[in-house]
Amino acid sequence: IERNCRQARRFADALRAAGYDVLNEVKLNQVLVSFGTTEQTQRTIAAIQEDGTCWCGGTVWKNRTAMRISVSNWSTTDDDVKQSIEAILRAAKNAR
């Protein structure tokens, strides 16, 4: 559990550093991130799901559309997180 929480913070830190809005305080294993407009966020979610590196769903939190990243599998490695961050950043860039 501690590793998954640390990995979630890693997602949040990387996405924040890239200029995206992390909407929640990441205390456990969930990250909510907006990639700009509702449409940009939805396109990013669709692109990452199509890519297949990882699976992230969508949600609405405090009236903002967001991608929900949930780090919860015991077998998720730090390298998996690195690859997933890279894929999400590519998806977000292509969704602009």
Side-chain angles (χ1 to χ4, degrees):
I1 293 171
E2 289 175 12
R3 185 185 75 249
N4 288 160
C5 295
R6 177 182 46 78
Q7 290 168 331
R9 287 189 300 274
R10 186 171 169 202
F11 273 105
D13 291 345
L15 294 168
R16 222 182 261 117
Y20 300 110
D21 293 329
V22 175
L23 305 179
N24 65 315
E25 185 177 347
V26 181
K27 290 190 174 199
L28 295 174
N29 65 332
Q30 303 290 307
V31 181
L32 302 176
V33 60
S34 171
F35 295 92
T37 67
T38 294
E39 294 77 16
Q40 288 170 312
T41 300
Q42 290 172 334
R43 285 193 302 268
T44 302
I45 293 166
I48 197 63
Q49 289 175 354
E50 178 70 24
D51 174 85
T53 300
C54 61
W55 195 94
C56 300
T59 191
V60 176
W61 194 68
K62 295 187 178 183
N63 296 317
R64 291 199 59 194
T65 299
M67 174 188 283
R68 185 172 67 103
I69 302 166
S70 178
V71 187
S72 59
N73 193 299
W74 66 270
S75 65
T76 300
T77 66
D78 289 340
D79 191 53
D80 294 330
V81 172
K82 178 181 181 272
Q83 290 177 36
S84 296
I85 290 167
E86 290 169 354
I88 291 168
L89 292 174
R90 276 192 312 273
K93 181 180 177 184
N94 293 334
R96 289 185 190 164

